[in-house]
Amino acid sequence: MRIAQISDLHFGRDVPAVAAALLAELRDAAPTLVAVCGDLTQTAREAEFQAVRAFLDELPTPAVVVPGNHDLPGWRFWSRFTRPWRPWRRHLGTDPRGAVTHTTGGLVAVGVNTARRWGPHHDWSRGRIDARQLAAAATAFGAAPAGDLRVLVAHHPFLLTAAGRARGLVGRSGPALRHLRRRADLLLGGHIHLAYSGVVDGLVVAQSGTAFSDRLKGEPNSYNLIEATGDRLTVTIRRWDGDRFDAANRTAYRRDDHEWVAHPTD
Ligand SMILES: [Fe+2]
Ligand SMILES: [Fe+2]
């Protein structure tokens, strides 16, 4: 079981050489699933979505793709409030108001859209997960055979490090974590453009950096390769070294009675 987690592509601010190298890597890695954690475009323009579509068509394996805040029409308020997801629907073919579920041997992945047109705070880039999305995830996870890896794909983070503290957790992260505890295994996100992983409430959270945009926030482009076998899981951060992606950090986790813990000796 292998998941390639890529995020924050930001087409419009993409670096084509890095994108091409990533596609070549993914062909070699042959993941079971590619999880695309939002911010596929920079400003949700037509040409950017066309580039997104072309990129996704090149992926070697099925993908679960969710939007990020940059996939909303930014400061184009009329579009943002009246038809925020029209380009997404046209080019991606999914409805961001619903959850997308992908099931393959031993894996169930549910993608939810945490980007919102506005928020009750000054920073509208912040997102939210709502009760309807959690219910959809719980239903899909509940229907999966025991032992399957249950993965939630979102854009906004369920875990922050000190470097990203100011960006904020996904809205309603507390109730969401309580709801997902012992129901899910792995929560995937992006948005911060920093790569790390850890455990929260018995769930593994993996955050990927910006895969190939020039919107770097203090660290190089990266993506995560997640490998799972039974009750073991590893998250490998593969960073761009200026020439190619290379393994920069590998963290191991172990599942013990439905809850995950870090497993440094692995
Ligand atoms: Fe982003
Ligand atoms: Fe974002």
Side-chain angles (χ1 to χ4, degrees):
M1 177 82 59
R2 182 178 278 175
I3 301 168
Q5 178 191 6
I6 66 176
S7 190
D8 295 270
L9 317 181
H10 286 286
F11 274 98
R13 293 282 298 269
D14 53 302
V15 181
V18 185
L22 177 64
L23 278 173
E25 281 239 350
L26 295 180
R27 280 186 211 107
D28 287 346
T32 318
L33 178 78
V34 180
V36 187
C37 295
D39 279 0
L40 281 75
T41 68
Q42 175 63 16
T43 57
R45 300 272 183 194
E46 190 66 20
E48 294 169 0
F49 272 113
Q50 286 170 0
V52 167
R53 183 70 265 167
F55 173 81
L56 294 176
D57 288 344
E58 291 286 312
L59 291 177
T61 42
V64 168
V65 186
V66 298
N69 50 296
H70 276 263
D71 302 316
L72 282 160
W75 299 105
R76 304 192 300 282
F77 284 118
W78 177 254
S79 299
R80 185 174 181 115
F81 282 95
T82 61
R83 44 177 188 264
W85 300 112
R86 182 185 282 184
W88 179 277
R89 273 196 214 93
R90 187 163 59 239
H91 293 283
L92 280 292
T94 57
D95 185 349
R97 292 171 304 183
V100 291
T101 301
H102 180 80
T103 308
T104 185
L107 170 75
V108 54
V110 177
V112 293
N113 171 20
T114 54
R116 297 292 182 267
R117 283 177 286 185
W118 69 281
H121 34 66
H122 71 280
D123 180 4
W124 286 5
S125 76
R126 292 194 180 195
R128 194 167 196 270
I129 186 163
D130 61 39
R132 188 179 46 85
Q133 294 172 320
L134 289 171
T139 300
F141 294 154
D148 271 20
L149 192 73
R150 293 153 166 86
V151 185
L152 186 81
V153 183
H155 179 61
H156 293 86
F158 287 88
L159 172 68
L160 291 170
T161 59
R165 194 79 67 206
R167 305 296 304 279
L169 291 165
V170 64
R172 286 178 50 87
S173 64
L177 289 167
R178 285 195 291 278
H179 190 83
L180 294 168
R181 186 169 198 165
R182 301 174 73 90
R183 286 190 166 118
D185 295 298
L186 180 60
L187 311 181
L188 305 181
H191 185 60
I192 312 289
H193 297 203
L194 300 174
Y196 53 89
S197 68
V199 172
V200 184
D201 286 352
L203 302 156
V204 177
V205 177
Q207 286 286 130
S208 54
T210 172
F212 48 71
S213 85
D214 65 3
R215 302 187 77 245
L216 303 175
K217 300 286 165 66
E219 64 177 46
N221 292 118
S222 68
Y223 76 100
N224 295 343
L225 210 50
I226 299 166
E227 291 169 299
T229 311
D231 291 330
R232 299 293 177 95
L233 186 151
T234 59
V235 179
T236 303
I237 297 168
R238 293 186 62 82
R239 289 211 164 95
W240 182 250
D241 70 1
D243 195 34
R244 63 194 183 96
F245 286 97
D246 205 2
N249 181 288
R250 180 173 179 273
T251 312
Y253 301 92
R254 171 173 56 84
R255 184 166 49 190
D256 188 8
D257 188 26
H258 297 286
E259 304 224 339
W260 292 87
V261 292
H263 187 63
T265 57
D266 194 3

